[in-house]
Amino acid sequence: MNVHRSVRPNVLNMAGYVPGEQPDPGQTLIKLNTNENPFGPPPSVVGAVLAAAEKALQLYPEPTCRAVREAAAKVFGILPQQVVVGNGSDDILTMILRTFIDPGEIVAAPVPTYTLYAALTDLQGGRFIPVPWAEDFRLPVDRLVETGAKVIFVVRPNAPTGHAVALDDVSTLCQRAKSIVVLDEAYADFADDNGLQLLATHENLLITRTFSKSMALAALRIGLGFMSAELTLQLHKVRDSYNVNRLSQAAAVAALTHRADYQPLIQSIRLEREQITLALRQRGFTVPASQANFILATVPQGGMGGAAWARALKENGVLIRYFGSDPYLADKLRITIGRSEEMQRFLQVVDHILAS
Ligand SMILES: *Cc1c(COP(=O)(O)O)cnc(C)c1O
């Protein structure tokens, strides 16, 4: 039997999302490739996970993550009924497409963007329409609306460019698009502002957040979705019944309760971001200002190309993310902001490569 004949054509034909490399624990690479927080979570959060591990592992977790939703509602000034919790924010993105996209329907996003959207759209049998960013990386509102998309994704600050679109433009998009607008705020904690206040005035807006980046809990897979209470009822129907495990729920509550403990870590990443931006510019890279915990650096002109840079860095023990299959990104490196000593080492390696 040819099992391929049984596989849904859209699954058979899709490339699938390729996550950044996770080296084996024994390897001593400097890991600047997947935008994790280089610091572990604060002891207040680790303690909550250990405490949760000591009880009730034989029981299913609370299916709707009630305690997490209540803690999030307090922090973000919304109602617990407006929050959906996911097994990572990727899980929320999956729920969104399951809820809104039938086969053949259109999903759009300004590109370059988070590459998972296209993969999830393929899975759903939908059609992903990439819309290039406008000049100066403004939100191409008209062209997004013209796609007729049922769901439009906007990342703010954007991955992999790091820029944050004007919130007024997001607001205009919500008004003009007769569709769902998803504002993916995976990196909002590193930015100067966020779009939370737009929720009250735009019923078609959904906002997603993750605990994998600023909250240093990538291992536990926790994400939040904020939207109207009405919409959460629909998303709850399409998610896995017990999508977030007990330990992750305990961690999420603790992280939200002890948000202040994260401030020094986030501050230090923001500071490091400004320093590495300047240091790379001095070395001939083009580096636009970033609002996230990574920068997108164009390699110096006239020297090695992007792929060669990525290879040379890896040979010298530094992992960064390279998206060479996208022509726009072929001469660019996405570099996660790590700890101070990691960035120092990274710069030494860059100097070594430039000199050789
Ligand atoms: C990292 C990232 C996510 C995924 O977050 P998880 O909570 O780890 O699933 C979602 N969106 C963007 C833009 C990201 O960069």
Side-chain angles (χ1 to χ4, degrees):
M1 179 190 162
N2 181 355
V3 287
H4 279 172
R5 284 221 300 264
S6 311
V7 177
R8 293 165 59 211
N10 51 328
V11 173
L12 204 56
N13 295 330
M14 71 184 275
Y17 178 73
V18 184
E21 178 177 350
Q22 292 293 339
D24 293 332
Q27 284 178 279
T28 52
L29 291 165
I30 294 183
K31 194 171 177 312
L32 309 178
N33 67 333
T34 47
N35 297 346
E36 287 132 326
N37 193 319
F39 306 102
S44 50
V45 175
V46 177
V49 176
L50 295 177
E54 285 183 351
K55 57 181 188 212
L57 285 185
Q58 72 278 24
L59 301 178
Y60 281 112
E62 207 286 319
T64 75
C65 296
R66 197 187 59 245
V68 182
R69 290 184 296 108
E70 284 169 356
K74 239 183 240 160
V75 168
F76 299 108
I78 52 178
L79 300 171
Q81 303 92 283
Q82 289 183 272
V83 183
V84 175
V85 189
N87 182 36
S89 70
D90 288 352
D91 187 30
I92 310 255
L93 302 174
T94 301
M95 289 180 219
I96 290 171
L97 290 181
R98 275 187 196 157
T99 301
F100 298 108
I101 295 299
D102 260 336
E105 290 186 324
I106 294 168
V107 175
V111 295
T113 188
Y114 186 35
T115 51
L116 184 70
Y117 303 139
L120 292 179
T121 303
D122 285 347
L123 261 184
Q124 207 57 31
R127 199 149 68 80
F128 182 80
I129 299 190
V131 177
W133 288 99
E135 227 173 284
D136 293 341
F137 278 94
R138 280 194 64 165
L139 193 62
V141 174
D142 291 340
R143 275 177 291 140
L144 285 168
V145 172
E146 283 161 16
T147 61
K150 213 170 165 202
V151 174
I152 297 172
F153 286 104
V154 177
V155 192
R156 186 183 191 277
N158 186 52
T161 57
H163 79 290
V165 290
L167 285 174
D168 280 350
D169 288 349
V170 176
S171 186
T172 307
L173 178 66
C174 291
Q175 276 162 17
R176 300 254 331 268
K178 304 275 168 282
S179 63
I180 295 296
V181 174
V182 181
L183 191 61
D184 184 333
E185 294 198 328
Y187 302 99
D189 286 338
F190 303 106
D192 296 335
D193 61 4
N194 63 68
L196 209 53
Q197 78 275 12
L198 300 179
L199 265 189
T201 42
H202 300 290
E203 275 191 333
N204 56 338
L205 176 67
L206 290 81
I207 294 179
T208 60
R209 294 279 179 96
T210 176
F211 284 52
S212 301
K213 316 288 169 51
S214 57
M215 308 304 261
L217 291 169
L220 291 181
R221 314 295 303 121
I222 306 157
L224 300 176
F226 307 143
M227 64 208 79
S228 73
E230 222 178 329
L231 271 183
T232 61
L233 295 179
Q234 306 308 318
L235 263 77
H236 278 300
K237 291 187 216 166
V238 305
R239 64 170 173 76
D240 292 347
S241 327
Y242 301 105
N243 63 328
V244 183
N245 72 69
R246 248 171 210 282
L247 303 188
S248 299
Q249 291 193 32
V253 171
L256 288 164
T257 311
H258 299 280
R259 243 173 103 78
D261 294 354
Y262 282 97
Q263 275 322 306
L265 311 184
I266 292 172
Q267 253 330 96
S268 113
I269 291 167
R270 285 172 54 113
L271 194 70
E272 209 60 54
R273 175 182 75 200
E274 305 315 315
Q275 288 172 353
I276 194 75
T277 298
L278 292 179
L280 285 177
R281 282 178 186 163
Q282 284 164 0
R283 287 161 173 81
F285 289 78
T286 304
V287 192
S290 167
Q291 289 270 295
N293 69 334
F294 56 83
I295 52 171
L296 187 68
T298 304
V299 301
Q301 278 189 353
M304 291 192 311
W309 265 101
R311 231 181 356 258
L313 287 166
K314 188 170 178 181
E315 279 163 16
N316 285 278
V318 180
L319 284 184
I320 52 90
R321 194 86 197 262
Y322 177 63
F323 301 97
S325 58
D326 179 337
Y328 173 79
L329 296 172
D331 61 350
K332 298 176 178 63
L333 312 172
R334 195 197 66 186
I335 303 153
T336 303
I337 309 302
R339 281 181 272 120
S340 194
E341 57 278 19
E342 292 174 315
M343 300 323 279
Q344 286 311 315
R345 177 73 195 128
F346 165 70
L347 279 180
Q348 281 171 5
V349 169
V350 167
D351 286 336
H352 170 73
I353 294 171
L354 283 171
S356 60

